[in-house]
């Protein structure tokens, strides 16, 4: 009897050790993140079926700025900014005889420009939903607005009428709602301008930084991107100093509106990670999707979506080559709010997205590796005070 008991204990101990070893091995096959610093941000929203990430990310960034400034959590209206940006873009498009791009896309500085000129609204005063949808659905509106401005540019009357802008704004009103002249917020009456002023946000406090060699470092240049309809300028830094700015900002409590390319094979929102695996993706051209399907799970995972893998060492030359070859474009604007490490001690940045909280393991957030941020950062919009003093002096900000 005693032998049977000892045998059972031995077997159970062995099984326990096997289970523990298996669990330890499985842990290597999944990402395990530890957040080192997470700055305050408002709840994740969903841009849904609209090309308005630039507005959602920039407004989220400004909402965090209000929290940092002691103003508390305020839900600002993204669609008010979308409305006014389309207004400004239409004027610009017609003035340039239709020779610029006209689309739903824009840049972070376009949000600042709209706020400068028109003010701010809380979401409760302007939701942008007028026809039964609870989230943005802009496909029809985008097409109608583009057709309208193209008709103005064609100038069939041989003279542009003085009322064309009224008609354009009428389309915006129909799809997004009329902008209120006044509204009540927390018991006080405001106009969009007075609400902006009461919030205490100064648009001149914010700048945008990038890192490319086709322009001199420590100077500004007009960013060459199709969404930069307003010809906004960015400050240029070497990549190592750009990363110093990122780390300094987060360390001192400043979040960042982060523009990046998200078309990389190492970007997986469904898995909640963005990495630059050292493994080269096999050529999937010529309808060779079967190559991917024929790979083992282990081979697919080697590209970094399932567990930490070795990443490429990023250089300034790699960044420039990717930009010059259209491999890095202004795909998406998001909100960087913190730092983290994986189980191997590798550094990541915590990114708040605007694609809702479904189909993602981190409730709408994801983790971008240091290599991914080095390689794929298009722009960083942040408060001037978030920049290290020595770098600020080089940029002429001090």
């Amino acid at each position: 009897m005693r032998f049977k008991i000892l045998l059972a204990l031995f077997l159970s101990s062995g099984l326990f050790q096997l289970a523990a070893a298996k669990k330890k091995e499985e842990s290597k096959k999944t990402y395990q993140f530890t957040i080192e610093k997470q700055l305050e941000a408002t709840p994740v929203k969903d841009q849904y079926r609209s090309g308005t990430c630039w507005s959602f990310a920039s407004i989220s960034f400004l909402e965090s700025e209000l929290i940092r400034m002691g103003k508390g959590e305020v839900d600002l209206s993204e669609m008010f900014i979308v409305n006014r940006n389309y207004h400004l873009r239409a004027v610009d498009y017609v003035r340039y005889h239709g020779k610029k791009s006209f689309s739903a896309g824009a840049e972070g500085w376009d949000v600042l420009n709209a706020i400068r000129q028109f003010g701010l609204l809380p979401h409760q005063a302007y939701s942008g939903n007028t026809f039964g949808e609870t989230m943005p659905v802009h496909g029809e509106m985008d097409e109608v607005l583009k057709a309208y401005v193209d008709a103005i540019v064609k100038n069939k009357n041989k003279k542009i009428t003085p009322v064309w802008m009224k008609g354009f704004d009428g389309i915006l009103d129909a799809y997004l709602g009329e902008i209120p002249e006044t509204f009540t917020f927390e018991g006080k009456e405001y106009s969009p301008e007075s609400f902006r002023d009461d919030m205490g946000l100064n648009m001149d406090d914010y700048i945008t930084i990038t890192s490319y060699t086709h322009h001199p470092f420590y100077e500004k240049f007009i960013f060459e991107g199709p969404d930069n309809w307003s010809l906004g300028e960015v400050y240029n830094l070497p990549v190592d100093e750009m990363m110093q700015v990122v780390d300094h900002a987060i360390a001192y409590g400043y979040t960042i509106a982060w523009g990046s390319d998200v078309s990389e094979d190492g970007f997986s929102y469904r898995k909640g990670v963005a990495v630059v695996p050292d493994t080269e993706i096999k050529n999937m051209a010529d309808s060779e999707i079967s190559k991917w399907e024929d790979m083992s799970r282990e081979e697919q995972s080697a590209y970094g979506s399932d567990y930490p893998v070795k990443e490429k060492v990023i250089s300034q030359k790699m960044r420039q080559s990717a930009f010059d070859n259209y491999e890095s474009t202004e795909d998406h604007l998001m909100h960087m709010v913190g730092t983290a490490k994986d189980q191997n001690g590798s550094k990541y940045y915590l990114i708040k997205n605007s694609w809702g909280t479904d189909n993602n393991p981190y409730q709408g957030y994801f983790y971008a590796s240091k290599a991914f941020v080095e390689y794929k950062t298009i722009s960083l919009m942040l408060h001037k005070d978030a920049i290290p003093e020595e770098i600020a002096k080089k940029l002429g900000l001090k």
Side-chain angles (χ1 to χ4, degrees):
M1 184 69 177
R2 184 179 178 186
F3 173 77
K4 290 182 178 180
I5 293 173
L6 290 172
L7 179 62
L9 289 172
F10 174 78
L11 290 173
S12 64
S13 176
L15 290 172
F16 176 79
Q17 290 176 359
L18 285 172
K22 184 178 180 181
K23 185 175 181 181
K24 185 177 181 180
E25 183 64 25
E26 288 177 349
S27 71
K28 296 179 181 179
K29 301 298 183 182
T30 60
Y31 281 95
Q32 298 176 48
F33 292 111
T34 301
I35 294 176
E36 295 188 308
K37 185 157 190 175
Q38 182 171 3
L39 303 176
E40 291 187 79
T42 52
V44 171
K45 298 180 184 178
D46 193 347
Q47 69 184 79
Y48 199 46
R49 291 159 57 189
S50 73
T52 57
C53 63
W54 54 275
S55 183
F56 276 85
S58 299
I59 287 297
S60 178
F61 164 71
L62 292 175
E63 288 171 347
S64 283
E65 281 291 279
L66 290 174
I67 294 172
R68 182 185 64 80
M69 294 162 59
K71 296 284 186 175
E73 188 173 304
V74 182
D75 185 5
L76 299 175
S77 171
E78 297 83 9
M79 290 302 113
F80 170 69
I81 301 300
V82 171
N83 182 312
R84 293 297 79 194
N85 182 73
Y86 253 138
H87 173 96
L88 294 173
R89 191 163 189 173
V91 173
D92 184 78
Y93 185 78
V94 172
R95 190 167 297 284
Y96 276 86
H97 299 235
K99 301 302 181 182
K100 282 189 179 182
S101 67
F102 187 90
S103 69
E107 307 284 359
W109 49 81
D110 293 317
V111 174
L112 307 184
N113 290 338
I115 293 171
R116 280 191 188 95
Q117 294 190 51
F118 302 107
L120 267 173
L121 286 176
H123 183 268
Q124 70 179 52
Y126 196 83
S127 69
N129 298 318
T130 63
F131 49 93
E133 297 286 350
T134 58
M135 292 187 290
V137 180
H138 288 181
E140 181 180 294
M141 179 186 76
D142 294 338
E143 293 292 329
V144 170
L145 292 172
K146 178 62 164 61
Y148 186 98
V149 289
D150 281 340
I152 300 303
V153 169
K154 287 178 182 177
N155 198 9
K156 291 291 186 179
N157 289 346
K158 306 301 180 185
K159 182 179 180 182
I160 294 178
T161 68
V163 296
W164 77 268
M165 195 69 242
K166 183 177 181 180
F168 185 86
D169 283 340
I171 297 172
L172 289 172
D173 290 347
Y175 281 100
L176 299 177
E178 294 185 23
I179 296 172
E181 292 184 7
T182 61
F183 59 92
T184 300
F185 179 75
E186 296 184 349
K188 184 177 178 180
E189 187 175 89
Y190 292 96
S191 67
E193 294 83 0
S194 66
F195 183 70
R196 172 201 59 207
D197 297 342
D198 194 58
M199 289 295 101
L201 291 168
N202 181 358
M203 299 303 106
D204 294 333
D205 285 339
Y206 303 101
I207 66 168
T208 301
I209 287 172
T210 193
S211 177
Y212 292 112
T213 58
H214 64 287
H215 289 283
F217 290 134
Y218 311 115
E219 295 183 11
K220 291 189 292 184
F221 69 91
I222 295 173
F223 177 71
E224 303 97 335
D227 285 336
N228 188 17
W229 67 269
S230 60
L231 306 180
E233 291 185 312
V234 296
Y235 286 87
N236 201 25
L237 286 175
V239 64
D240 59 334
E241 294 189 16
M242 180 186 79
M243 294 305 295
Q244 288 178 41
V245 168
V246 171
D247 292 334
H248 186 272
I250 298 297
Y252 283 87
Y254 294 87
T255 68
I256 302 169
W258 178 56
S260 176
D261 183 289
V262 294
S263 61
E264 289 296 297
D265 296 292
F267 176 85
S268 177
Y269 178 69
R270 289 182 181 274
K271 297 294 181 67
V273 295
V275 295
V276 189
D278 193 46
T279 305
E280 293 291 343
I281 302 295
K282 293 182 179 180
N283 183 9
M284 299 298 170
D286 302 321
S287 300
E288 293 181 354
I289 188 63
S290 59
K291 288 183 180 179
W292 177 266
E293 294 173 342
D294 289 343
M295 287 184 198
S296 67
R297 177 70 176 175
E298 189 71 18
E299 288 176 312
Q300 293 180 17
S301 295
Y303 297 133
S305 63
D306 288 335
Y307 58 84
V309 296
K310 182 181 178 182
E311 294 190 77
K312 292 179 180 178
V313 176
I314 308 303
S315 68
Q316 189 81 59
K317 184 177 180 180
M318 287 173 62
R319 277 186 53 83
Q320 189 65 42
S321 177
F323 183 75
D324 290 341
N325 292 312
Y326 302 165
E327 294 170 359
S328 288
T329 59
E330 69 250 70
D331 287 350
H332 197 36
L333 195 65
M334 297 153 282
H335 188 191
M336 184 182 291
V337 299
T339 56
K341 286 186 177 180
D342 67 14
Q343 63 264 47
N344 298 326
S346 299
K347 187 168 186 174
Y348 291 76
Y349 296 91
L350 182 61
I351 309 298
K352 178 188 174 187
N353 205 359
S354 57
W355 294 346
T357 57
D358 296 336
N359 302 314
N360 171 272
Y362 304 113
Q363 292 74 52
Y365 286 78
F366 69 91
Y367 296 88
S369 70
K370 179 183 178 183
F372 192 94
V373 173
E374 285 177 320
Y375 188 30
K376 288 296 169 175
T377 292
I378 300 295
S379 63
L380 304 165
M381 187 170 75
L382 73 170
H383 197 288
K384 290 186 292 187
D385 291 347
I387 300 171
E389 186 171 356
E390 288 187 9
I391 295 176
K393 288 179 179 177
K394 291 179 182 180
L395 295 174
L397 300 173
K398 293 285 187 178

